[in-house]
Amino acid sequence: MPDLWSDLLPYPWNVAAAGVVAAALLFGFVGVSTFFAIWAERKVSGRIQDRLGPTRVGPFGLLQSLADGIKLVSKEDHAPTAADRFLFKLAPYLAFCASFVGFLALPFGHGLVAKELNVAAFFVLAVLSSEVFGVVLAGYASASKWSLFGGVREAAQVVSYEVPRALCVVVPVCVAGTLNLNTIGTQQAGWFWNWNLFHDPFTFVAFFVFYICATASCKRAPFDLAEAESELVAGFHTEYSGIRWSYFFLAEYGSMFAVSGLAALLFLGGWHTGFLPAEATALLGFWGGNLLNVAVFVGKCWALVLVMMWMRWSLPRLRIDQVMMVCLHYFLPISCVLLVGVCLWVLLVPAGAAEVVRYGLAFGSVGFVLLMFASAFRAPPMSAPPGRLPGAWDGRPTPLGADASAKRG
Amino acid sequence: MSELGLQPFMILSAFLFACGVVCVATKRNAVGVLMGVELILNAANVNLVAFARFSPTFRLDGQVFALLVVVLAAAEAAVALAIILNFYNNHATVDVDEADELKG
Amino acid sequence: MSLPVVLFALVATVTAVSALGVVLARNVVRMAVWLLFTLVGVALLYFLLGAEFVGAAQLLVYVGGTLVLVVFGVMLTAQGPLRELRTRPADWAVAGVLGVALFGLLVTVSFRIAAPPPTDNPLPGPGPLGLSFLGVTEANPTGPVTGVPDGPPTPRTPVAYLLPFEVVSVHLLVVLVGAAYLARAKRRVRA
C-alpha cells in the first residue's frame, strides 16, 4: 500500500497517507457491510419465517439500517447507577477495535492489503480473539446479573473455541508453508481445484470445522449464549442503549466478515474466481484485475456471512453445557486429528494419488452443489388439499381443527 | 529504525519492571499480585526482543526466549489462578495477608 | 524525527502510562484494563522492532488467553460489587523506594551497555524461528524472513532449541493437569 503513494509524497508521509487511506477504506467497508448485513439479516429471517421483513424505508426496505441508525444515535446515552461508568463506556469501543483491527492484515486482492504481515493468519486470529475482552468488561461493568452471566459465558465459550479454530487455521497453513495470507491467496490462483479446500480430505473437513468454530467465536446462533434472550434478557448488552449498543453490533458483524474473509483466503481461493486460468491482474491489468479481485473476495465474504444468517434462523440454540461439550469433546479432538493428518498427507502421499484425490474432491463438491440447486428447482410446490395444513406434514395431512377438537374431547 | 537505539527500549523495560515490582509489593489482592508478575515478565520480554533486534549474534535467540517466556507466563497464570481459587474456596478471601497459616 | 522514533514515543508513552495505571488502580478489574493496554502496547513494540511472530503470540496468548483468564479469576473471587483492598501507607513507601531504586539501577546499567551499532537487517521471521525449535537452523540467518529459508539449513547442535521446546511442552501438559486438579469444584470449608 505505501508503494502506491511513494510517487506522490516523500518518505514518512507516504506511509502515513497509506495508513490513513487504508484505515478509512476498511472502516468504510466494515460500516457499509454492517449496514447491509443488518438489512440482509432481517430479510433472511423474515423469509425463513414466512414474513416479508423490512419493506417500508427505501426500495425493499434497504434503508432500514439508516433509519435504525438515526434512532440509535438520537437515543439517550444511559448507564446504570451501580455501573463502573469508565469501563461501561470503554467496553464497546474495545470490542469494536478488536474486530476492526483484524481487517488490517486481510488482503482483499493481489497485494491489496493494509499491512502485509508475514504472520497475517496468526495476527488475525490473535486480534479477533481479544474481542472477548470488550464483552467480558461490558458484562462486568454493567453491574447487572444478566450481563455478568452473559460476559462469563462468552469468556468461557470464546476461550474454548479459540483452540480448535486456531488448529483448523494451521491445517491450510501446513499445506501452504507460510502464514502470509497474501502468499496463501496467491498460491490458490487459477482453477477452483487449486483451492486449499480441495487439497486433501483433511483440509476439506477443516474448512467446515473452522467455519463452525468461527461462528461460535463470533457468538452467533446457535452458539449465542452470551445474549440468549430467552434466559438472559440480552446477555452482556442488556444495559446498553443507543450508540454504544450499536458499536457492539458493528463489532459482531465486523468479526463475522473478518472470519469469513479468513475462511475465504485460507480455504476458498481468496480473491480468485476459480474460473480463470491465471491471476486476474495478469489478464486484466492492475486496476481491472484488482477490481474483479475485490469484488470476488467481498462476494465470498458475503456468501459465508449469509450462510451464518441461514444457520442462525434455522437451528435452535444450544444449551451452555452442550456448547462447551461440542467444543471440548468433538471439535478439539477432530481438529487435532486433522492437523496430524494433513502433515502426514503432505509428507507421505505420492503426488499422483494426491492429484487424483484433489480432482475427485473438487468435481465431487461442485457436482453435489449443482445437484442441490437442481433439487431445489425440481421440488414440488408446497400445497395442501383444502382443509389440510400445508408443509411438513406430508405423509399424513392433519385436518385443520382436528387437534383442538381431539384435545377437547 | 536506525536512529532508534537500544537505550529507549531498555529504559521503558526498566520502567515496566519497576511498576511490576511496586505492584507485587503493594497489592493485597492475589490477582493484583499476579498482574504485577505479568508486568515484570513483559519488561524482561521487551528487553529480550530489543536485544534480538539490535545485537547481531542474538537475532534468533532473543525471539525464542521471548516466545518461551510468553508461553510459560500463560502456564504460570493458569496455575496461580487455580491456587487463588483454591485459596478463595478455603478462606473466602483473596487477601494475600491472610495466607499466614504456616507462620511459626 | 523519523517515523519509527515518533511511533516509539507514542507507543512507549501509552505503555508506560498504562503500567502506571496498573500500579495506581484500586479496583482489580480496572487494573486488568490497564494491563490490557500495557500488553497491547508491548505487542506494538514487538511489531515496531520487526518481531511480528512474537507480537502476534503476545496478542493471542497474553491478551486473548491469560488476561481473559485473569478477569475470569477476578469475577469468581469478587466478594461484593467493586470491593477494594486498601494498602497501608507504609507498604506504599517501602515499595515506592524499592521501585525507584530498581528503576535508577536499571537505567544506569542500560547507559553503561555498549550498544552494538543498529542494523536495518530485518529479524528472522516465523520460518527460521519454527525451524530453530527443531534445532535445524543457522545461528544467524539472513536473507528472506518469510517462509522456509532458502539454501540447506545447517544443523546447530550446541544451542538447538529442540530440548527447551520439548521441556516447555511437557511443562504445559503438567500445568494443565495441575491447574485442573487444583481448581476442580469443591465444597467450601466452613470454619
Side-chain angles (χ1 to χ4, degrees):
Chain A
M1 197 78 180
D3 310 338
L4 298 178
W5 292 86
S6 50
D7 297 341
L8 305 174
L9 290 165
Y11 158 61
W13 301 110
N14 64 347
V15 179
V20 170
V21 168
L25 281 176
L26 286 180
F27 194 84
F29 173 73
V30 176
V32 171
S33 302
T34 307
F35 188 92
F36 288 111
I38 289 177
W39 170 81
E41 175 104 55
R42 298 182 60 176
K43 271 293 189 197
V44 167
S45 72
R47 292 297 172 165
I48 286 177
Q49 298 167 347
D50 217 358
R51 295 183 284 116
L52 285 178
T55 52
R56 291 301 182 103
V57 195
F60 310 108
L62 261 175
L63 298 179
Q64 183 66 42
S65 303
L66 185 66
D68 287 347
I70 292 172
K71 184 198 76 173
L72 285 174
V73 170
S74 58
K75 260 187 167 178
E76 185 192 353
D77 186 17
H78 177 76
T81 326
D84 186 333
R85 295 185 75 88
F86 170 66
L87 298 184
F88 185 82
K89 292 190 169 168
L90 186 72
Y93 300 112
L94 278 184
F96 175 66
C97 279
S99 78
F100 175 65
V101 170
F103 284 94
L104 283 187
L106 279 186
F108 280 64
H110 183 57
L112 276 189
V113 53
K115 175 80 181 89
E116 190 175 342
L117 287 174
N118 292 325
V119 291
F122 193 35
F123 177 80
V124 174
L125 276 184
V127 168
L128 285 181
S129 70
S130 42
E131 190 199 334
V132 57
F133 207 83
V135 173
V136 175
L137 271 190
Y140 176 80
S142 298
S144 148
K145 287 215 167 60
W146 307 129
S147 306
L148 189 64
F149 277 133
V152 171
R153 279 180 175 188
E154 165 80 3
Q157 178 185 334
V158 170
V159 171
S160 314
Y161 272 91
E162 222 171 78
V163 180
R165 187 177 67 164
L167 285 176
C168 287
V169 167
V170 177
V171 171
V173 164
C174 274
V175 173
T178 174
L179 284 165
N180 188 331
L181 284 176
N182 200 18
T183 317
I184 293 179
T186 316
Q187 283 172 350
Q188 305 175 59
W191 295 95
F192 60 86
W193 52 79
N194 287 336
W195 293 359
N196 278 341
L197 176 66
F198 305 124
H199 183 271
D200 56 66
F202 298 105
T203 49
F204 191 76
V205 179
F207 169 68
F208 297 100
V209 177
F210 172 80
Y211 191 67
I212 296 171
C213 290
T215 312
S217 52
C218 291
K219 53 188 182 299
R220 292 283 300 180
F223 305 102
D224 60 343
L225 270 299
E227 46 192 286
E229 65 269 4
S230 52
E231 30 187 319
L232 292 186
V233 188
F236 65 94
H237 59 62
T238 304
E239 306 291 344
Y240 281 86
S241 66
I243 190 76
R244 291 182 204 287
W245 180 81
S246 66
Y247 269 104
F248 276 122
F249 254 65
L250 268 179
E252 179 176 335
Y253 283 93
S255 51
M256 278 165 73
F257 276 98
V259 291
S260 301
L262 193 60
L265 279 165
L266 287 173
F267 295 99
L268 299 179
W271 55 85
H272 298 108
T273 51
F275 299 101
L276 285 175
E279 188 76 45
T281 40
L283 298 174
L284 302 170
F286 181 78
W287 290 110
N290 267 332
L291 208 63
L292 180 67
N293 285 342
V294 172
V296 169
F297 181 74
V298 173
K300 282 179 183 172
C301 284
W302 263 99
L304 290 175
V305 168
L306 284 174
V307 174
M308 279 192 194
M309 292 175 183
W310 181 19
M311 274 160 57
R312 170 171 179 179
W313 297 103
S314 307
L315 297 175
R317 180 181 291 131
L318 300 176
R319 278 196 327 256
I320 183 70
D321 60 320
Q322 291 170 331
V323 169
M324 302 304 284
M325 194 197 66
V326 164
C327 175
L328 298 175
H329 279 195
Y330 297 105
F331 286 147
L332 197 54
I334 289 174
S335 51
C336 290
V337 168
L338 289 175
L339 182 56
V340 175
V342 80
C343 292
L344 293 179
W345 183 277
V346 170
L347 285 178
L348 299 181
V349 174
E355 285 300 293
V356 170
V357 172
R358 171 196 291 261
Y359 288 122
L361 270 174
F363 287 105
S365 313
V366 169
F368 180 73
V369 169
L370 289 179
L371 257 175
M372 294 315 279
F373 268 105
S375 74
F377 287 111
R378 271 195 298 109
M382 291 220 273
S383 60
R388 304 287 163 111
L389 283 173
W393 314 98
D394 211 21
R396 248 179 356 156
T398 318
L400 276 178
D403 194 29
S405 60
K407 267 184 193 152
R408 215 178 294 128
Chain B
M1 186 50 91
S2 36
E3 64 260 56
L4 190 63
L6 182 59
Q7 260 86 32
F9 289 95
M10 289 191 71
I11 292 171
L12 179 71
S13 155
F15 185 77
L16 289 183
F17 182 80
C19 281
V21 168
V22 175
C23 200
V24 169
T26 56
K27 299 293 172 192
R28 286 175 60 195
N29 190 326
V31 185
V33 175
L34 184 61
M35 289 188 208
V37 175
E38 304 289 339
L39 269 184
I40 294 175
L41 291 171
N42 265 279
N45 255 359
V46 169
N47 259 357
L48 285 173
V49 177
F51 289 155
R53 180 72 185 75
F54 290 104
S55 160
T57 53
F58 204 52
R59 304 171 59 74
L60 206 54
D61 310 54
Q63 292 191 71
V64 168
F65 276 115
L67 279 175
L68 293 183
V69 169
V70 167
V71 171
L72 291 181
E76 166 250 326
V79 171
L81 276 175
I83 293 174
I84 291 169
L85 284 185
N86 224 354
F87 181 66
Y88 180 73
N89 275 337
N90 290 333
H91 295 259
T93 179
V94 282
D95 187 350
V96 283
D97 292 349
E98 300 285 321
D100 54 1
E101 280 175 7
L102 290 182
K103 207 190 297 185
Chain C
M1 291 286 272
S2 71
L3 196 63
V5 176
V6 176
L7 284 178
F8 174 80
L10 213 67
V11 175
T13 316
V14 170
T15 313
V17 167
S18 31
L20 214 56
V22 177
V23 175
L24 298 180
R26 290 249 177 82
N27 178 340
V28 193
V29 178
R30 289 219 179 165
M31 274 178 71
V33 174
W34 287 118
L35 188 64
L36 167 78
F37 289 133
T38 315
L39 294 178
V40 171
V42 170
L44 288 179
L45 283 180
Y46 296 160
F47 280 106
L48 195 63
L49 283 165
E52 294 171 349
F53 192 80
V54 185
Q58 164 102 359
L59 280 179
L60 185 74
V61 178
Y62 253 123
V63 179
T66 310
L67 203 54
V68 173
L69 208 64
V70 167
V71 174
F72 215 81
V74 171
M75 288 180 178
L76 290 179
T77 56
Q79 284 138 329
L82 318 180
R83 163 148 182 199
E84 297 162 4
L85 287 171
R86 301 253 169 213
T87 310
R88 286 178 289 274
D91 285 358
W92 273 115
V94 172
V97 169
L98 188 67
V100 170
L102 272 173
F103 182 59
L105 178 72
L106 288 172
V107 168
T108 331
V109 169
S110 79
F111 277 109
R112 290 271 187 88
I113 283 184
T119 55
D120 279 327
N121 210 356
L123 276 176
L129 209 55
L131 282 177
S132 81
F133 279 121
L134 299 176
V136 286
T137 193
E138 297 146 85
N140 190 16
T142 50
V145 290
T146 60
V148 184
D150 50 26
T154 47
R156 193 176 157 222
T157 36
V159 271
Y161 292 112
L162 185 58
L163 181 65
F165 184 67
E166 291 301 324
V167 169
V168 167
S169 316
V170 174
H171 177 252
L172 279 182
L173 185 68
V174 173
V175 160
L176 190 71
V177 175
Y181 173 74
L182 278 176
R184 73 196 192 282
K186 266 185 300 196
R187 198 173 299 140
R188 182 184 293 175
V189 180
R190 294 241 174 237

